[in-house]
Amino acid sequence: MQTLTTEETQKILEEMTVNFNHGGRKITVPPPIFLAMKAEILSYTKGKSITVAFPVSEDQTNPMGMMQGGVIAAAFDNAFGPLSYLVAKRPTTTIDMNIQYIRGVAVNQRVIVKASVEAKGFSTIHMIGEMRTEKDKLLATATTNLLILKIPGGVGE
């Protein structure tokens, strides 16, 4: 399996944005929320996995001062989404996502989300994910199923 650099992966995602945008449709890969969360692609192994880092800031916290569960879900979605586009080479949409919160996520750290493809069919992709600290402590896990949309214009078409 070939592992691409951050720059190589980002270039593929940018090409997808250009290829998906025709016929009055506007699709942005990665999406604006990816940029708003200051996500950073650390690595991409073709067809298999992506690793994305997210800084945890105070504006993402719940009343107890820990990263809010919805923001944790968004971090997973911001790893699953780009990986699904890279694997399917066409737009996808989330069917479902299950998250298991293992421990609180403190602010002023960087968390690492690794998303991996477990199975890919003609119309769906099943993925798993883990969120860890930079010291490799498990914070949360997730699974998701995504629908591969029948919109033409994927890379290589």
Side-chain angles (χ1 to χ4, degrees), residues 11-24:
K11 184 174 186 231
I12 292 169
L13 291 170
E14 288 168 4
E15 288 172 1
M16 285 182 174
T17 295
V18 171
N19 289 335
F20 291 152
N21 288 325
H22 56 79

Side-chain angles (χ1 to χ4, degrees), residues 20-74:
F20 291 152
N21 288 325
H22 56 79
R25 200 174 44 245
K26 182 174 182 342
I27 295 173
T28 304
V29 183
I33 188 64
F34 186 92
L35 303 174
M37 289 183 70
K38 298 180 174 86
E40 177 189 356
I41 296 171
L42 300 180
S43 68
Y44 166 60
T45 301
K46 278 191 166 186
K48 183 70 179 149
S49 66
I50 195 166
T51 304
V52 184
F54 299 89
V56 182
S57 57
E58 200 159 312
D59 65 337
Q60 299 172 332
T61 60
N62 61 22
M64 295 184 299
M66 303 301 258
M67 190 179 205
Q68 195 255 358
V71 180
I72 293 171

Side-chain angles (χ1 to χ4, degrees), residues 1 3 40 42-45 48-54 75-81 83 111-118 127-133 136 138 140-144:
M1 302 239 168
T3 300
E40 177 189 356
L42 300 180
S43 68
Y44 166 60
T45 301
K48 183 70 179 149
S49 66
I50 195 166
T51 304
V52 184
F54 299 89
F76 277 113
D77 206 28
N78 276 312
F80 290 140
L83 179 58
V111 294
I112 311 299
V113 174
K114 181 175 182 180
S116 301
V117 174
E118 285 291 299
M127 295 185 199
I128 61 169
E130 290 185 343
M131 176 184 279
R132 294 181 175 270
T133 66
D136 207 34
L138 184 64
T141 62
T143 59
T144 191

